[in-house]
Amino acid sequence: MIGLTADQIAAEIEAFSHRLKQGAQTLAAVGEIETGVSLREPIYQEDKLTLYRYQPRVENPHAIPLLIVYALVNRPYMMDLQEDRSMIRGLLDAGLDVYLVDWGYPDAGDRTLTLADYVERYMGHCVDAVRDRHRVDAINLLGVCQGGALSLCHTALYPARIRNLITMVTPVDFQTPDNVLTHLIRHVDVDLLVDTLGNVPGQMLNFAFLSLSPFRLAGQKYVDLVDIFDDAQALKNFLRMEKWIFDSPDQAGEAFRQFAKDFFQQNKLVKGEVVIGNRRVDLREIAIPVLNVYATQDHLVPPAASKALAECCGSRDYSELSFRGGHIGIYVSSRAQREVPPAIAAWLLAR
Amino acid sequence: MTQQTSASHSGVFDVELVLRQARAYLAFGDQVRLFTDRLGEATEAETDWGEALQQHFTQLKVAIAQSAENPAVNPELARLWLLMADTWSETATTLGMATETIPDTLRQTEVWRTYQRTQGDYFNQLRDAAMKALDLMEQRLNELAVAGKTVSSLRELYNLWVDCNEDTYGRMLRSAAYGELNGRLFNALLRCYSRPEAQS
């Protein structure tokens, strides 16, 4: 039943309008929102790519460095968003020596980059740079989301260079019944898309993500924002997240073409049919220890899509870490900070 | 070592995002106020509450249908359920496909007409989902009434409306028909974009 009178509603609307008016002025004055909190230095650059090393936070970090490979969509500062929401800081605090691949912003000159460029050339050079720096044969690799799929490919092709592999919210079986992204792209003519546009605009991908939950993500979220206008910290946290959401790099056309067709539309990764360069990716070649981290309420990469790795990879030391939360919460929620980096570090330090 | 900051993206928040949704929320409030006014009259006349609720939702559906035909009639009300349509239009605009700037030469082509028809089909699906959301909302309000529970603020009612829309929209999104339509919409837009007239 609606226990509301017209007067109550009028009062609520008036209060809302008042907060909105004040808050709009506050918002306009906030200016640029900065992201990324941990100290780091670039140690390798190639084209748009930059490889960073984060400053260790313990005196003697673990001897085997950890390289994080983020997705090509969205920006990797989600891993180090702010002081109290930083997966990278958690890994550093746990004693790891952390490196991160920042893919940068592809432009028109990058439209011919293929998945082979990303998986073999760029990742290969980054792995080599870290191996050389630490004088080790093999390093630890952590792939995030799409970066996890790229990491699986790289590890399958170059197993001797990777000591332990961690995949985080990584799709492996792209055609589980609950995979909405696959459902949306299934009938898109990917060749027409890439042939027409060259690079795929980040804005177009944003549309796909927003379309999964538009009334919450494009509506209610902004109405709720009015409630925190007078909380400077909460407002900055919101804006930081908002910046990340809309900071979507365009996707290099040819790499997108192959990823969309081979991974989403034809589900070739689980079938062992993905070809990178001229080599077939067989996940059974991955015999090193694997930790597969997934989120139980992930609406972008459903748990079943990640857990399919158990049946495909060749590792006898395969473990899963289930996080109770969503695709974004696994990086930034308070519980994620307490649970995920320590668990990853403990798993690595035991190997 | 350097402190990292992201500078490639401007990072300046678009305040209009909030203002648009706030205006839509206020339009929602106006609709609810209309309802509570009528509900007050119904109570004075000792009319059945459930009947009054049903009447209101019927009127609301008519209003939404009208705003679907012509969003200019009540643009803020239309915005409530046209969220996805807005988002799609913005996407098309970033690709140079803003309706108001389409050259006449392109408008006269079959690919453009096909895109317009497909977009119309898409908007119709969104409208149908919005109507079903109102049915669901009516049902949930009745369930609350039966359980003796009360919605005691406009925001609470708005949140219920959002939940109902996400519910019905989510079901539509996962349907085979929507998957096919979504692909058709993208492909139709791309065919327009690839026409030489679009580049002029």
Side-chain angles (χ1 to χ4, degrees):
Chain A
M1 183 178 283
I2 301 176
L4 278 168
T5 64
D7 288 346
Q8 276 178 296
I9 294 168
E12 205 175 326
I13 286 177
E14 192 182 335
F16 180 87
S17 302
H18 181 67
R19 282 199 305 275
L20 178 66
K21 192 175 170 188
Q22 287 190 322
Q25 291 167 353
T26 310
L27 269 179
V30 165
E32 177 136 351
I33 294 290
E34 293 189 345
T35 53
V37 291
S38 301
L39 293 174
R40 65 181 187 175
E41 62 177 342
I43 65 147
Y44 175 76
Q45 288 184 301
E46 182 176 358
D47 302 334
K48 306 294 189 304
L49 172 157
T50 305
L51 173 62
Y52 289 100
R53 184 202 187 199
Y54 285 85
Q55 184 173 39
R57 286 171 62 88
V58 297
E59 199 167 333
N60 294 305
H62 189 44
I64 308 298
L66 173 67
L67 174 63
I68 299 176
V69 177
Y70 198 75
L72 301 171
V73 297
N74 293 117
R75 300 284 295 136
Y77 56 77
M78 174 55 98
M79 305 289 290
D80 188 37
L81 198 62
Q82 60 189 60
E83 294 277 343
D84 56 345
R85 299 183 190 198
S86 170
M87 181 129 313
I88 284 173
R89 177 159 294 197
L91 295 168
L92 293 167
D93 286 343
L96 298 178
D97 203 334
V98 180
Y99 291 77
L100 171 82
V101 179
D102 181 339
W103 299 112
Y105 295 83
D107 60 24
D110 299 311
R111 64 179 291 176
T112 57
L113 288 177
T114 62
L115 280 187
D117 287 309
Y118 283 101
V119 171
E120 294 188 315
R121 182 158 66 93
Y122 289 146
M123 281 184 71
H125 292 169
C126 288
V127 170
D128 283 345
V130 179
R131 287 197 313 161
D132 291 348
R133 201 177 161 96
H134 288 260
R135 297 193 177 90
V136 292
D137 292 332
I139 64 169
N140 295 327
L141 186 61
L142 191 168
V144 180
C145 190
Q146 182 192 25
L150 302 182
S151 296
L152 283 168
C153 294
H154 185 85
T155 305
L157 295 175
Y158 304 98
R161 297 147 56 101
I162 309 300
R163 181 170 167 141
N164 299 293
L165 174 65
I166 300 144
T167 52
M168 197 166 161
V169 289
T170 292
V172 179
D173 181 348
F174 283 72
Q175 294 191 352
T176 54
D178 50 356
N179 193 323
V180 188
L181 287 178
T182 296
H183 175 64
L184 290 180
I185 202 171
R186 191 182 298 268
H187 296 281
V188 172
D189 184 340
V190 175
D191 286 329
L192 177 64
L193 174 63
V194 175
D195 291 344
T196 303
L197 299 178
N199 287 345
V200 176
Q203 173 75 12
M204 194 169 247
L205 299 179
N206 266 339
F207 170 78
F209 294 132
L210 285 179
S211 74
L212 301 182
S213 188
F215 294 90
R216 294 217 171 87
L217 299 179
Q220 186 182 39
K221 181 176 73 173
Y222 298 114
V223 173
D224 288 348
L225 176 62
V226 175
D227 294 339
I228 60 166
F229 271 152
D230 51 1
D231 181 341
Q233 192 57 45
L235 186 59
K236 284 227 166 189
N237 290 352
F238 176 92
L239 294 175
R240 220 171 264 123
M241 184 63 76
E242 196 71 359
K243 171 180 175 174
W244 176 80
I245 289 169
F246 289 103
D247 192 357
S248 306
D250 293 347
Q251 299 297 295
E254 290 307 320
F256 182 89
R257 188 197 305 265
Q258 188 182 2
F259 199 80
K261 291 174 71 173
D262 289 358
F263 289 69
F264 279 100
Q265 292 185 329
Q266 296 172 43
N267 205 19
K268 287 183 175 179
L269 185 61
V270 282
K271 297 175 187 167
E273 295 173 0
V274 166
V275 174
I276 300 288
N278 55 6
R279 296 175 64 193
R280 191 172 67 84
V281 173
D282 184 351
L283 296 179
R284 287 174 303 183
E285 294 293 327
I286 301 177
I288 58 168
V290 173
L291 174 63
N292 188 5
V293 186
Y294 63 90
T296 57
Q297 290 146 29
D298 196 330
H299 66 296
L300 293 176
V301 181
S306 295
K307 292 172 75 173
L309 182 59
E311 299 299 319
C312 312
C313 79
S315 175
R316 290 185 178 178
D317 181 2
Y318 171 89
S319 327
E320 290 179 350
L321 174 64
S322 162
F323 173 75
R324 189 164 52 82
H327 193 77
I328 305 300
I330 198 169
Y331 313 117
V332 296
S333 73
S334 310
R335 196 156 47 74
Q337 310 310 311
R338 290 194 304 272
E339 293 178 9
V340 180
I344 290 174
W347 183 85
L348 279 176
L349 296 176
R351 285 163 178 81
Chain B
M1 291 285 174
T2 55
Q3 190 76 29
Q4 65 154 307
T5 56
S6 170
S8 298
H9 182 68
S10 75
V12 178
F13 182 72
D14 181 4
V15 180
E16 185 57 29
L17 284 170
V18 179
L19 296 179
R20 268 190 307 205
Q21 296 314 318
R23 285 194 291 267
Y25 173 69
L26 294 173
F28 177 82
D30 282 342
Q31 284 297 317
V32 176
R33 192 158 47 176
L34 281 175
F35 165 63
T36 49
D37 279 345
R38 285 179 198 140
L39 185 62
E41 291 164 15
T43 307
E44 278 173 22
E46 295 183 352
T47 310
D48 178 61
W49 187 89
E51 193 182 316
L53 183 69
Q54 193 179 8
Q55 273 181 13
H56 175 71
F57 275 95
T58 304
Q59 286 160 358
L60 198 52
K61 277 186 269 189
V62 169
I64 281 188
Q66 283 172 344
S67 68
E69 298 299 326
N70 181 9
V73 172
N74 187 342
E76 301 308 339
L77 180 63
R79 192 182 299 285
L80 271 174
W81 69 271
L82 281 172
L83 271 172
M84 269 315 295
D86 277 355
T87 312
W88 170 254
S89 299
E90 284 166 19
T91 304
T93 301
T94 62
L95 298 179
M97 287 290 133
T99 304
E100 58 274 17
T101 59
I102 295 298
D104 284 342
T105 46
L106 180 59
R107 285 178 195 279
Q108 289 157 13
T109 61
E110 184 54 31
V111 288
W112 177 254
R113 284 192 288 272
T114 300
Y115 171 56
Q116 290 300 299
R117 278 197 301 274
T118 311
Q119 191 174 242
D121 293 345
Y122 179 68
F123 289 175
N124 283 340
Q125 276 228 8
L126 295 178
R127 186 190 56 189
D128 289 347
M131 299 291 196
K132 285 178 185 157
L134 286 176
D135 289 339
L136 182 61
M137 189 174 174
E138 184 183 358
Q139 181 192 324
R140 290 196 180 162
L141 282 170
N142 277 320
E143 287 165 3
L144 285 173
V146 169
K149 293 179 182 169
T150 304
V151 175
S152 54
S153 74
L154 179 62
R155 183 68 70 82
E156 216 178 308
L157 199 62
Y158 170 76
N159 290 341
L160 176 66
W161 176 83
V162 169
D163 288 346
C164 292
N165 273 283
E166 285 290 345
D167 197 323
T168 55
Y169 174 87
R171 263 181 277 135
M172 177 197 75
L173 183 80
R174 285 163 179 76
S175 69
Y178 182 87
E180 186 274 326
L181 179 57
N182 180 70
R184 203 150 43 88
L185 182 65
F186 263 98
N187 297 340
L189 175 70
L190 291 167
R191 286 191 189 99
C192 291
Y193 190 86
S194 62
R195 295 280 301 191
E197 295 91 336
Q199 312 302 328
S200 60

